[in-house]
Amino acid sequence: AFVNAASEVLGIGSEQCGDLMEEMAKETDNMRALLELPRGEIRSPADIEVEVRERVAELTLAISLENQRMAEQQEDLMQRAITDALTGVGNRAAFDARMSLELQRLVRSGAPLALLMMDVDEFKAFNDTYGHQAGDRVLQTIAHVLDANIRAVDYLARYGGEEFALVAPDTSADGVF
C-alpha cells in the first residue's frame, strides 16, 4: 500500500518506486556505517545533525593529526637524505648540491668562494690499530669540532671516508686561515 501511494505521489511506477526505496535504504545503511550511527533508533534530524557534525569534527582532527605526522616524517626523511649518518654533518650528495649553488652564485655575483678539502692523515693505520669503532669516534669528534667553529653561512660535509669539505661563501683564500 505504501509503495503504491508513494508511486502515485512521485508519478512513477510501483516497481520503479520499490527500486528507489531499496536504493535509499542501502544508502542510508552506508551513511549509518560511515558515521558509525547505531541502527534502529529513531532520532530527530537535529540530533542526527549534531552527531554528524561531531563525527565530522573527530574525523577532521584525526586527518589533521595524520597530516602533521606525515609532514614530520617527510621532514625527517628529507633531513636523513642530506645528512651523513655517522657524523651528523652534510653528506656527499648534499655537498654536491650546495657546491653547485655556490658556484652559480660565484659566476653571477663574482663574490669570493673558498673550498677547503680536509683529509685525516694516517686514518687507515688508526682504524687498523684501534678498530673501526674508535675510528668512527675520531670522525665524529672531528666533524663536531669543525662544525662548532664555522660560520652559519659555511657548509661542512663529509666528502667520503675520512675526507671533509668546507664551503665558505664570501671568503677569499686569505680569509680562510
Side-chain angles (χ1 to χ4, degrees), residues 55-171:
R55 184 67 180 137
V56 167
E58 289 171 8
L59 291 171
T60 301
L61 178 60
I63 289 169
S64 177
L65 291 172
E66 180 63 15
N67 285 342
Q68 181 181 352
R69 186 193 66 76
M70 288 173 61
E72 289 169 359
Q73 189 176 34
Q74 181 180 12
E75 177 64 31
D76 180 56
L77 289 172
M78 289 173 60
Q79 193 60 38
R80 286 181 189 198
I82 63 171
T83 303
D84 177 64
L86 177 65
T87 63
V89 300
N91 64 17
R92 173 68 183 270
F95 165 79
D96 290 343
R98 179 64 178 263
M99 194 63 197
S100 176
L101 289 173
E102 292 298 340
L103 288 172
Q104 290 173 19
R105 190 175 68 80
L106 174 110
V107 169
R108 194 174 55 248
S109 71
L113 174 67
L115 170 63
L116 279 74
M117 300 298 293
M118 298 164 271
D119 181 81
V120 180
D121 289 339
E122 306 298 327
F123 189 71
K124 183 181 178 341
F126 183 89
N127 258 353
D128 291 345
T129 303
Y130 299 103
H132 290 281
Q133 287 181 331
D136 287 352
R137 285 194 302 275
V138 166
L139 292 175
Q140 290 166 337
T141 301
I142 289 170
H144 177 73
V145 169
L146 289 171
D147 197 42
N149 288 287
I150 61 174
R151 303 171 304 171
V153 297
D154 296 338
Y155 188 76
L156 177 65
R158 183 172 175 204
Y159 192 74
E162 74 279 3
E163 300 168 326
F164 291 90
L166 176 65
V167 180
D170 298 318
T171 305

Side-chain angles (χ1 to χ4, degrees), residues 112-114 171-177:
L113 174 67
T171 305
S172 64
D174 294 337
V176 172
F177 300 103

